[in-house]
Amino acid sequence: MSTLNVLRYTALGLGVVAGVKNDWSLQSEAKHKQKSEEQAKQLKLVEEAKTEYAKLHSKGSAVASTAQFDLEDPNMDFGAAIEGAVAALQ
C-alpha cells in the first residue's frame, strides 16, 4: 500500500509541476503577444502621423502649381511665378 501511495503522490507532484510550468509558459507567451501588438499599434500611429505631416508640410504642391505658367496670360501673377521658380531651385 505504501508503494502505491508513493507512486500516487509522485504523479500528483509531477502533475502540479507540469501545470505550473505550462501556466508560466502561457503567461509569458501572452505577455510577448501583448507587447508585440502594442508595438505594432504604435508603429501604425507613427506611420499615420508621418503621412499627415507630409500632407500638411508638402513643398511639392506649391512648386507644381507654379511650375507651369503662361506668359501670355493677362491675369498672371508675376510675383507668385517668380517665388515659385525660386522655391523650385531650392
Side-chain angles (χ1 to χ4, degrees):
M1 201 51 135
S2 68
T3 306
L4 183 61
N5 283 338
V6 169
L7 292 176
R8 189 180 298 168
Y9 285 114
T10 302
L12 178 66
L14 289 175
V16 168
V17 169
V20 169
K21 181 184 177 285
N22 187 28
D23 187 46
W24 282 345
S25 66
L26 289 176
Q27 286 179 357
S28 174
E29 185 179 327
K31 285 181 185 177
H32 179 65
K33 184 177 178 182
Q34 181 182 11
K35 185 182 269 188
S36 65
E37 287 176 354
E38 183 178 327
Q39 188 176 23
K41 187 177 181 181
Q42 288 177 350
L43 288 174
K44 181 181 175 188
L45 287 174
V46 167
E47 290 299 321
E48 288 177 3
K50 284 182 180 180
T51 56
E52 287 297 320
Y53 183 83
K55 286 180 186 177
L56 294 175
H57 296 92
S58 63
K59 292 182 179 179
S61 62
V63 173
S65 64
T66 59
Q68 298 176 358
F69 54 89
D70 184 17
L71 293 175
E72 301 297 323
D73 186 16
N75 297 327
M76 183 180 155
D77 184 11
F78 287 106
I82 292 172
E83 287 177 359
V86 170
L89 293 176
Q90 295 176 354

